[in-house]
Amino acid sequence: MPGFEFFGAEEKKEVNDVLNTGILMRYGFDGARQGMWKAQELEQEVCKTFGSKYAHLTSSGTAALTTAFAALGIGAGDEVIMPAFTFVASFEAVLSTGAIPVLVDIDDTLTLSPAAVKAAITPQTKCIMPVHMCGSMADLDALKDICKEHNLLLVEDACQSIGGTYKGQKLGTIGDAGTFSFDFVKTITCGEGGVVMTNNEDVLTKCDGYTDHGHDHLGVDRGADLHPFIGYNFRISELHAAVGLAQIRKLDTFLSIQKKTHKKLKNILSTVPEISFRRVPDADGDSCTFISWFLPTEELTRAFVTEMKAQAVMPGNFYWFDNNWHYIKKWEHLKKAKSLFNLSLDQQLHLMSLDKQDFSASDAIMSRCISTAISLLWSDEQIEAKGNKIVEVVKKVLG
Ligand SMILES: *Cc1c(COP(=O)(O)O)cnc(C)c1O
């Protein structure tokens, strides 16, 4: 799955370009940097690779989401509808802008259920945020229709689906804004980093200023910049951008390995009629970082997990239902609104209501779901061994 498995001479070369000048910052020092603008170069490469008109790098994927919300004017009192299965960063970003994360059910795509989204719309709803989990996409046509009907913004959290597509368009470039994370375990890595993509120049300009203390970047030097609005520091460093530059050039290789491995694993798992697979709205667009599949019941799935652990072969297979990071069931800190500082009253009230909200539709899916992470380094023999082991254990628990 992650680009760190393919770290080598290319990354070192790009980083050394930066170390040789000593200019680790993306702005200024024009003479001393000897023509090295790694962050700018990576932004151009992101636009070229994913087909977005504009891209702005950030210090993390979380910062990219926060920046996208800010640039789109999402803040206090606004509700952002998002899925109950995601990484914690998605709601962290919503909360950090003062908006309210409205968590709703997922369906068998493992992403937002369009029906659940419709049911959650209120006069305060400002934005729908699908999260393209585990390499594959939400039903974007259905979500776009809802946005159009209710005049809502669409922000794609595509942090886990770099290189995935939907009907020919790259995930992350379809909404009003979309984000990738380049953290250490993502499909391509900068070590830490992220990006906001958009086709709207005004959104880009706001992202550019927001991530650098509101600087308009129009002065003759940083001291002469004006500050048309308040910003923060979510800048990426040149060192991190340099790593990403080497990685993005390898993306096609990563994707083709993932797709081949996914196909082989699917063929092996498909030999068991009790195994079913995640629904993928556009099967050709799956980036194939994982293969996600279901057993018929929670009981069988738990028995599978227990047996895999007993045989010490569970690593690489994720049972998100019991995982602290990815599913509402274990987000006690969120449900108790445990913030270090005072959240707004409407944020607190909404978070405290999550404990009583019915997520049984999501539970029914997540409790039967296993995601098997796909490594870039497996040999054909290893792929077969991994698949055969899953089949063997599933058959054992089926009895
Ligand atoms: C990784 C991830 C993020 C945030 O990324 P960081 O770069 O780690 O801040 C956001 N959303 C999802 C779904 C992710 O998997």
Side-chain angles (χ1 to χ4, degrees), residues 60-63 65 86-87 89-90 131 133 157 159-160 181-183 186 192-194 326:
S60 71
T62 313
L65 283 169
T86 179
F87 180 54
S90 311
V131 184
M133 281 300 276
D157 179 343
C159 290
Q160 289 199 9
S181 162
F182 300 133
D183 80 19
K186 295 305 203 277
E192 298 284 1
H326 291 86

Side-chain angles (χ1 to χ4, degrees), residues 18 33 36 38 46 62 68 71 101-102 109 136-137 214 250 296 302 306 332 364 376-377 379 388-389 395:
V18 177
R33 66 194 315 133
M36 297 294 165
K38 297 297 183 188
V46 166
T62 313
V102 174
T109 64
S136 173
M137 81 288 313
K250 302 178 179 179
R302 287 195 178 280
T306 303
E332 287 310 314
L376 299 172
L377 302 178
S379 64
N388 289 340
K389 176 52 76 178
K395 282 185 172 161

Side-chain angles (χ1 to χ4, degrees), residues 364-382:
I365 292 158
M366 295 311 300
S367 63
R368 300 184 294 108
C369 177
I370 301 284
S371 291
T372 302
I374 288 174
S375 166
L376 299 172
L377 302 178
W378 289 339
S379 64
D380 282 351
E381 292 72 30
Q382 284 173 307

Side-chain angles (χ1 to χ4, degrees), residues 60-70 89-90 93 129 155-157 159 179 196:
S60 71
T62 313
L65 283 169
T66 304
T67 300
F69 292 137
S90 311
M129 173 170 59
V155 172
E156 297 175 78
D157 179 343
C159 290
T179 62
V196 183

Side-chain angles (χ1 to χ4, degrees), residues 26-288:
R26 70 164 297 176
Y27 297 112
F29 305 92
D30 295 26
R33 66 194 315 133
Q34 300 168 33
M36 297 294 165
W37 299 91
K38 297 297 183 188
Q40 283 187 24
E41 220 183 309
L42 180 53
E43 282 163 353
Q44 285 158 14
E45 207 63 34
V46 166
C47 289
K48 215 172 76 193
T49 305
F50 301 102
S52 78
K53 215 159 169 187
Y54 308 105
H56 191 78
L57 291 167
T58 56
S59 49
S60 71
T62 313
L65 283 169
T66 304
T67 300
F69 292 137
L72 289 165
I74 295 164
D78 296 329
E79 294 179 357
V80 177
I81 299 178
M82 56 167 284
F85 172 52
T86 179
F87 180 54
V88 288
S90 311
F91 64 70
E92 291 166 359
V94 175
L95 288 170
S96 73
T97 65
I100 301 165
V102 174
L103 277 67
V104 306
D105 277 321
I106 53 123
D107 60 21
D108 58 348
T109 64
L110 303 184
T111 69
L112 272 181
S113 149
V117 170
K118 267 190 205 165
I121 289 173
T122 74
Q124 282 71 49
T125 307
K126 179 109 176 217
C127 175
I128 298 175
M129 173 170 59
V131 184
H132 306 305
M133 281 300 276
C134 307
S136 173
M137 81 288 313
D139 183 347
L140 283 165
D141 277 350
L143 296 175
K144 276 195 292 191
D145 284 349
I146 298 171
C147 286
K148 214 166 174 185
E149 188 185 336
H150 296 271
N151 195 24
L152 303 173
L153 295 162
L154 184 71
V155 172
E156 297 175 78
D157 179 343
C159 290
Q160 289 199 9
S161 58
I162 299 172
T165 57
Y166 179 72
K167 301 190 174 173
Q169 277 180 290
K170 294 282 198 295
L171 300 178
T173 68
I174 294 163
D176 295 282
T179 62
F180 291 151
S181 162
F182 300 133
D183 80 19
F184 195 53
V185 297
K186 295 305 203 277
T187 303
I188 53 180
T189 185
C190 291
E192 298 284 1
V195 71
V196 183
M197 292 171 290
T198 181
N199 294 320
N200 180 329
E201 190 178 359
D202 179 56
V203 172
L204 171 79
T205 305
K206 287 171 175 164
C207 289
D208 179 65
Y210 192 71
T211 50
D212 187 24
H213 306 294
H215 277 270
D216 67 1
H217 299 136
L218 297 174
V220 286
D221 58 47
R222 284 179 71 73
D225 283 348
L226 298 177
H227 302 89
F229 49 78
I230 298 167
Y232 285 95
N233 177 2
F234 293 137
R235 291 188 305 257
I236 195 162
S237 82
E238 285 287 279
L239 288 172
H240 292 89
V243 176
L245 205 46
Q247 286 264 304
I248 199 169
R249 295 177 184 135
K250 302 178 179 179
L251 178 62
D252 284 346
T253 306
F254 297 171
L255 292 171
S256 77
I257 294 172
Q258 284 171 182
K259 286 180 186 202
K260 259 196 260 168
T261 306
H262 187 281
K263 199 169 169 190
K264 285 181 185 153
L265 281 176
K266 191 164 182 181
N267 284 340
I268 297 171
L269 300 196
S270 297
T271 59
V272 182
E274 286 84 356
I275 292 179
S276 59
F277 297 90
R278 158 196 210 162
R279 182 163 59 87
V280 178
D282 176 358
D284 293 336
D286 192 339
S287 74
C288 298

